[in-house]
């Protein structure tokens, strides 16, 4: 639930873009909560990212994705 609240705050910061420092801090909050949830669930997030996106996008292999299929 905290994670979803942080995603909402990031979404609002992305819409506003008035405060680049706040935007950066909202990204940090989302990443911190995502890492916390992965840790609680026993998921090695670094390993999961390497397995799924280690070669870039699974479809176009670009990093960042240029085809749009790497959306979660
Ligand atoms: Zn792609």
């Amino acid at each position: 639930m905290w994670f979803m609240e942080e995603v909402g705050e990031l979404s609002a910061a992305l819409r506003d873009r008035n405060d680049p420092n706040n935007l950066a801090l909202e990204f940090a909050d989302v990443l911190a909560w995502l890492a916390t949830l992965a840790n609680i669930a026993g998921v090695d997030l670094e390993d999961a990212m390497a397995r799924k996106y280690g070669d870039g996008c699974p479809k176009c292999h670009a990093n960042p994705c240029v085809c749009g299929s790497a959306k979660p």
Side-chain angles (χ1 to χ4, degrees):
M1 195 155 55
W2 287 106
F3 176 72
M4 296 308 295
E5 185 173 319
E6 293 299 343
V7 170
E9 290 177 8
L10 174 59
S11 179
L14 282 166
R15 278 193 306 270
D16 290 346
R17 301 224 179 185
N18 294 338
D19 185 349
N21 185 55
N22 181 57
L23 179 61
L25 295 178
E26 293 299 346
F27 269 105
D29 285 344
V30 169
L31 185 58
W33 274 108
L34 181 65
T36 298
L37 288 173
N39 189 42
I40 290 169
V43 170
D44 183 334
L45 198 53
E46 187 175 353
D47 176 67
M49 286 299 296
R51 283 191 285 131
K52 185 154 187 180
Y53 296 106
D55 295 324
C57 169
K59 186 176 178 184
C60 69
H61 301 289
N63 188 7
C65 170
V66 294
C67 74
S69 69
K71 292 182 230 169

